[in-house]
């Protein structure tokens, strides 16, 4: 077990925590922000697993889907007080 | 939706060309380096989305009218199909590359993919226009 392995294990735990948070959180905007964290950590893990191709796709598609989900939230139910 | 923020607009104007050039770089180098037409197309689309977010929907629509995105989507797919037909015309399977007698060049150079580079351009344009269409559809739709 090298330092890189410990880093990978830590990132996988962050990944599990982020996905559980997205599921259980009540505020939709906060859920989207945590989903951005999930996407970023996933991109770093792809890079660690020697697949930069998927890392680039995950980063770009993660940003794009986050923007689209933000738009959907702002256009539907959530209203700023 | 209109945001009146000078800093946001200025930064968007400064960063936009670099985003677009990087997106097209990822598309054109898809066959020899990490990335590809899907990721590159999304990066190109993100440039337009950033512009439309900072400058307002009407101005974003003026840059990319609906007619342009619709024809880019259709012709990107048609371009892919036409390039696949090259194999059938030559008497080998659909989308054949080396079997169709295309010179693959020196491995590692940008022209070493044969048809893949040309296919990637079509897919990149299609993905970019699809993302922009999704964005504008969600933004302009009346709730």
């Amino acid at each position: 077990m090298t330092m890189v392995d410990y880093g990978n294990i830590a990132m996988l735990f962050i990944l599990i925590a982020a996905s559980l948070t997205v599921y259980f959180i009540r505020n939709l905007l906060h859920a989207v922000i945590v989903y951005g964290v999930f996407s970023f950590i996933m991109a770093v893990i792809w890079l660690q697993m020697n697949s930069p191709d998927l890392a680039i796709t995950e980063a770009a598609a993660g940003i794009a889907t986050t923007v689209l989900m933000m738009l959907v939230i702002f256009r539907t139910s959530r209203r700023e007080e | 939706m209109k945001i009146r923020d000078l800093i946001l607009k200025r930064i968007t104007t400064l960063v936009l060309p670099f985003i677009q050039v990087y997106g097209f770089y990822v598309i054109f180098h898809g066959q020899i380096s990490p990335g590809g037409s899907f990721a590159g197309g999304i990066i190109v689309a993100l440039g337009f989305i950033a512009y439309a977010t900072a400058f307002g929907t009407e101005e974003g629509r003026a840059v990319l009218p609906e007619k342009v995105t619709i024809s880019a989507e259709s012709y990107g797919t048609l371009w892919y199909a036409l390039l696949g037909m090259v194999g059938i015309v030559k008497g080998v399977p659909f989308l054949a590359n080396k079997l169709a007698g295309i010179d693959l060049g020196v491995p590692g150079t940008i022209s070493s993919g044969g048809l893949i580079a040309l296919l990637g351009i079509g897919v990149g344009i299609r993905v970019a226009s699809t993302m922009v269409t999704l964005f504008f559809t969600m933004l302009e739709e009346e709730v």
Side-chain angles (χ1 to χ4, degrees), chain B residues 93-118:
Chain B
F94 186 72
L95 273 180
N97 201 359
K98 197 181 179 185
L99 280 177
I102 291 158
D103 183 22
L104 290 189
V106 185
T109 56
I110 193 166
S111 62
S112 65
L115 284 183
I116 307 292
L118 298 174

Side-chain angles (χ1 to χ4, degrees), chain B residues 1-97:
Chain B
M1 195 163 95
K2 205 153 182 84
I3 301 170
R4 287 185 195 167
D5 191 351
L6 182 69
I7 298 172
L8 189 66
K9 286 181 179 176
R10 197 55 63 201
I11 294 288
T12 309
T13 321
L14 282 177
V15 168
L16 198 60
F18 296 100
I19 296 177
Q20 300 287 9
V21 168
Y22 179 64
F24 280 109
Y25 168 83
V26 172
I27 289 178
F28 288 140
H29 290 248
Q31 70 271 28
I32 53 166
S33 71
S37 40
F38 184 73
I42 289 182
I43 294 169
V44 171
L46 282 174
F48 288 115
I49 289 175
Y51 183 82
T53 313
F55 284 83
T57 319
E58 288 80 22
E59 207 147 335
R61 255 310 185 207
V63 174
L64 263 187
E66 200 171 2
K67 209 188 271 180
V68 175
T69 54
I70 286 176
S71 38
E73 249 182 274
S74 315
Y75 285 117
T77 318
L78 190 66
W79 176 244
Y80 195 101
L82 281 179
L83 282 175
M85 288 296 168
V86 169
I88 290 185
V89 170
K90 291 266 193 168
V92 285
F94 186 72
L95 273 180
N97 201 359

Side-chain angles (χ1 to χ4, degrees), chain A:
Chain A
M1 294 278 281
T2 59
M3 278 308 282
V4 177
D5 288 336
Y6 285 119
N8 283 347
I9 290 168
M11 278 194 293
L12 286 170
F13 275 111
I14 294 173
L15 207 62
I16 294 169
S19 43
L20 285 177
T21 313
V22 169
Y23 181 69
F24 284 113
I25 208 163
R26 300 292 299 176
N27 192 329
L28 287 177
L29 182 63
H30 297 177
V32 169
I33 293 168
V34 177
Y35 181 74
V37 174
F38 175 87
S39 186
F40 173 71
I41 298 286
M42 197 69 222
V44 177
I45 288 177
W46 285 128
L47 200 59
Q48 278 296 321
M49 295 200 277
N50 288 327
S51 74
D53 195 8
L54 282 173
I56 289 178
T57 308
E58 175 68 43
I63 294 169
T65 49
T66 306
V67 169
L68 290 180
M69 282 193 282
M70 293 272 275
L71 272 179
V72 171
I73 289 169
F74 284 132
R75 292 309 300 257
T76 51
S77 61
R78 191 177 183 276
R79 293 277 182 272
E80 291 287 343
E81 300 300 327

